[in-house]
Amino acid sequence: MDTAAVSDQAVTTLKIRRYDPERDSEPHWERYEVPYEASDRLLDALHYVKWNIDGSLAFRRSCAHGVCGSDAMRINGANKLSCKVLVRDLGPEISIEPIKGLPVEKDLIVDMDPFFDAVKAVKPYLMTDDHEPTRERLQSAADRERFDDTTKCILCAACTTSCPVFWNDGEYFGPAAIVNAHRFIFDSRDSGAEERLEILNEKEGVWRCRTTFNCTDACPRGIEVTKAIQEVKRALIFRRF
Amino acid sequence: MPKAPAGTLYRGREGMWSWVAHRITGVLVFFFLFAHVLDTALIRVSPTSYDKVIGTYKNPIVNVMEVGLVAAVVYHALNGIRIMLIDFWEKGPRYQKQMLYVELALFVILVVPDAYFSLEHTVRTIFGST
């Protein structure tokens, strides 16, 4: 039952930043009239365009439920997952652009390699220097809680590509890499904290953060990204982790 | 390699715009200091030229610029404290917006009276007094 004020067949305009490397020298805006229901997410509207109006529209999506992190895009100016916002909350004309700071390959698809390279560079996996235990590595609830926030990351790149520092300096590790380093630095079972802190102490590490909070506002999982970056800064200053 | 799409301005919130203002006021204060070091250094070269240069500042435009300078310095100083609290105070990141609103309130409290007292003379000179 549709109880919302929106009628069953409302219409919105999607204004999409299109770019086809084989035909266009510059990206351009293209408008599409799309009918939608009160329960439709923006991803449904994009599917409507691709399946009914223009099959050449290119965008990434997989699970469509805010878990895989494929469909981060710039919606009405700010980074969001298109599968996590309702069309009816976005106004009569919705602008959709690829995330900023990574090379555009086609339409809303960007080259994610620099992003994943930065995440890999902080060694986001368990590192230990003791003997392998014969059973699980135990951890207290309090120790687990210490890094709970940063375990939620789905690597969608909404934070990194909302960062003004990253737009201007692609060498900056970026918020997502620091979040994934934070997840292991503050894990009591891990012993690679020193090594990761040294990586993030470099010129392109945490000190490039200008605390604009765009990353925190953009994170679809509600991770307090700027706070995580600040905790890494403080760990570097006070060597407490 | 395709060019980076220009697109729209990123719609950031309080945090981003406070940072933009911090950058702009920082550059403004830097340029003032540059000119200020030069005109002050002039007194070692020739006190008469120094008086002449300082004399050229006695006009309404420079008066308005003075108020702008105070506003830029006050914003940059207050926001600088906010940034230090964000980085060094454990709860800083969580209260960044509240700190910005306090900062803007202090900014108005400090800059509005300054503008009044600084511009009073100029306004009276230009528009006359009875």
Side-chain angles (χ1 to χ4, degrees), chain B residues 70-81:
Chain B
V70 170
V73 169
V74 168
Y75 177 85
H76 203 78
L78 291 174
N79 198 53
I81 294 169

Side-chain angles (χ1 to χ4, degrees), chain A:
Chain A
M1 251 313 266
D2 178 19
T3 51
V6 184
S7 77
D8 257 355
Q9 281 286 296
V11 177
T12 188
T13 304
L14 300 191
K15 197 179 101 182
I16 305 177
R17 192 88 174 153
R18 305 270 327 244
Y19 173 74
D20 179 349
E22 285 169 10
R23 290 192 313 180
D24 310 329
S25 55
E26 289 283 316
H28 62 279
W29 293 103
E30 204 85 58
R31 284 179 162 76
Y32 304 93
E33 299 275 307
V34 178
Y36 67 98
E37 290 172 20
S39 58
D40 277 347
R41 299 155 303 159
L42 186 63
L43 183 62
D44 298 314
L46 286 169
H47 279 148
Y48 184 90
V49 174
K50 189 170 177 67
W51 295 337
N52 299 296
I53 304 174
D54 184 349
S56 72
L57 177 66
F59 55 90
R60 290 174 66 226
R61 88 277 185 265
S62 183
C63 79
H65 290 82
V67 179
C68 72
S70 300
D71 62 347
M73 50 189 76
R74 206 141 68 85
I75 300 161
N76 284 346
N79 286 358
K80 292 178 171 71
L81 295 185
S82 73
C83 58
K84 282 197 83 175
V85 282
L86 291 175
V87 174
R88 64 171 187 185
D89 292 338
L90 293 168
E93 184 175 88
I94 305 165
S95 81
I96 303 166
E97 297 157 84
I99 44 180
K100 236 167 118 91
L102 292 167
V104 177
E105 293 194 327
K106 191 184 177 205
D107 297 338
L108 302 174
I109 298 180
V110 299
D111 177 9
M112 298 280 280
D113 285 350
F115 171 78
F116 287 120
D117 288 345
V119 173
K120 283 178 201 148
V122 303
K123 310 191 178 200
Y125 40 78
L126 185 76
M127 295 199 281
T128 56
D129 46 20
D130 49 351
H131 290 292
E132 189 99 357
T134 50
R135 50 192 213 131
E136 298 90 342
R137 294 172 196 275
L138 294 180
Q139 184 170 50
S140 72
D143 282 348
R144 175 61 178 71
E145 182 60 32
R146 179 66 192 86
F147 60 94
D148 185 66
D149 201 35
T150 45
T151 62
K152 297 184 228 156
C153 178
I154 54 173
L155 295 170
C156 67
C159 59
T160 294
T161 58
S162 74
C163 176
V165 178
F166 181 77
W167 300 334
N168 293 310
D169 172 13
E171 296 297 306
Y172 172 42
F173 278 92
I178 300 169
V179 160
N180 283 277
H182 178 284
R183 185 250 169 274
F184 287 97
I185 288 169
F186 294 95
D187 187 335
S188 60
R189 297 164 296 188
D190 183 275
S191 40
E194 279 292 345
E195 198 178 330
R196 293 192 193 89
L197 285 173
E198 280 320 314
I199 295 168
L200 292 175
N201 201 16
E202 293 290 315
K203 185 167 147 277
E204 303 293 347
V206 285
W207 306 114
R208 300 239 54 193
C209 169
R210 292 289 176 275
T211 62
T212 70
F213 288 89
N214 277 8
C215 49
T216 303
D217 292 333
C219 180
R221 306 301 309 265
I223 300 172
E224 292 177 273
V225 183
T226 315
K227 185 162 174 282
I229 298 173
Q230 181 246 32
E231 284 172 5
V232 175
K233 287 177 184 166
R234 280 157 51 95
L236 273 167
I237 296 168
F238 304 114
R239 293 283 161 178
R240 272 203 310 254
F241 41 83

